[in-house]
């Protein structure tokens, strides 16, 4: 069982993650100070350094934490489909929805993550590659099972297709929130589901 000290520390870290992610999404990493993160989280500046050695370490942990939550929600969607004996394509469809739900819940983190994917000179580039691969690997696994089970063509390039599906969900969701916020999550999921099922062509 977790001690109250451990639970309190996790709650503090969660506050720091949330404060950091909103500030960095608003202002960028360089312009955000540790003082501002502490103030937004409602803690003393020393608390930030007690939990993280530096702003860079906080940001790395933030990436791990956020992508870890996304990976867990994708995996849960696949497992729930398994439990009801759904197909692998249905599992991919459930994962698309889980991705949209995650992004709807954590929009600032998603903006941050997508922005960081384009930067190449960051100290945390290797961390970003590792956590990205963890999320994409969950999708790869389901795609591989779908190919092995004859649900999808053997011609598909599994790593690229997995990356394309994750990218499609991330970018479509950000576009939805920025430019089409009046749309419901069901509408966005339905549009992406048609793409997944290859039902866009008129033929």
């Amino acid at each position: 069982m977790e001690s109250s000290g451990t639970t309190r520390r996790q709650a503090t870290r969660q506050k720091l993650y949330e404060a950091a992610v909103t500030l960095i999404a608003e202002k960028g990493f360089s312009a955000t100070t540790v003082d501002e993160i502490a103030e937004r989280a409602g803690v003393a500046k020393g608390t930030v350094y007690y939990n993280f050695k530096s702003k860079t370490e906080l940001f790395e942990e933030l990436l791990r934490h956020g992508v870890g939550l996304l990976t867990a929600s994708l995996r849960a969607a696949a497992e729930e489909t398994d439990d009801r004996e759904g197909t692998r394509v249905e599992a991919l469809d459930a994962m698309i929805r889980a991705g949209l739900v995650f992004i709807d819940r954590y929009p600032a983190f998603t903006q941050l993550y997508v922005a960081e994917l384009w930067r190449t000179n960051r100290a945390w580039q290797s961390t970003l590659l590792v956590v990205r691969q963890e999320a994409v690997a969950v999708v790869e696994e389901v795609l591989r099972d779908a190919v092995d089970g004859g649900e999808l063509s053997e011609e598909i390039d599994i790593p690229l297709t997995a990356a394309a599906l994750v990218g499609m969900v991330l970018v479509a969701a950000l576009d939805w929130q920025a430019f089409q916020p009046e749309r419901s999550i069901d509408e966005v999921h339905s549009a992406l589901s048609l793409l997944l099922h290859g039902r866009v062509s008129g033929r």
Side-chain angles (χ1 to χ4, degrees):
M1 210 173 96
E2 286 182 336
S3 71
S4 61
T6 310
T7 312
R8 195 160 52 244
R9 189 166 186 208
Q10 283 173 343
T12 302
R13 281 181 159 233
Q14 185 63 35
K15 271 195 234 164
L16 289 170
Y17 288 138
E18 285 168 14
V21 81
T22 34
L23 280 164
I24 295 166
E26 283 166 20
K27 302 171 63 167
F29 177 80
S30 305
T32 301
T33 66
V34 171
D35 281 359
E36 288 170 319
I37 293 170
E39 191 183 332
R40 179 74 64 100
V43 302
K45 184 177 175 180
T47 305
V48 182
Y49 289 116
Y50 174 71
N51 283 276
F52 305 100
K53 287 197 283 287
S54 63
K55 188 173 71 163
T56 298
E57 187 190 84
L58 166 57
F59 193 74
E60 283 202 18
E61 287 302 317
L62 182 63
L63 289 171
R64 284 185 200 280
H65 178 70
V67 181
L69 291 175
L70 173 60
T71 304
S73 67
L74 295 176
R75 191 171 281 123
E79 285 168 1
E80 281 160 21
T81 310
D82 261 358
D83 292 345
R84 56 180 175 78
E85 297 180 350
T87 65
R88 299 294 74 206
V89 172
E90 283 170 348
L92 290 166
D93 203 33
M95 290 162 97
I96 286 173
R97 187 175 186 92
L100 291 172
V101 168
F102 173 87
I103 294 160
D104 191 40
R105 189 171 171 194
Y106 303 107
F109 174 78
T110 308
Q111 286 167 15
L112 202 58
Y113 174 71
V114 171
E116 288 305 320
L117 285 178
W118 299 108
R119 301 188 211 275
T120 52
N121 58 346
R122 294 293 209 208
W124 51 79
Q125 191 66 18
S126 57
T127 300
L128 189 60
L129 289 173
V130 169
V131 294
R132 174 213 164 269
Q133 189 47 42
E134 283 169 10
V136 174
V138 180
V139 184
E140 282 183 11
E141 193 181 321
V142 176
L143 281 171
R144 202 165 282 114
D145 289 347
V147 171
D148 292 345
E151 284 184 56
L152 293 176
S153 164
E154 288 183 4
E155 290 172 27
I156 71 167
D157 181 317
I158 289 171
L160 270 180
T161 304
L165 283 170
V166 172
M168 172 181 81
V169 174
L170 285 170
V171 176
L174 288 177
D175 189 89
W176 159 41
Q177 293 181 331
F179 304 114
Q180 307 180 61
E182 70 287 352
R183 301 273 203 162
S184 69
I185 198 164
D186 290 335
E187 283 180 281
V188 182
H189 176 220
S190 174
L192 299 186
S193 188
L194 284 174
L195 280 170
L196 172 69
H197 289 89
R199 294 204 295 265
V200 179
S201 165
R203 281 184 274 167

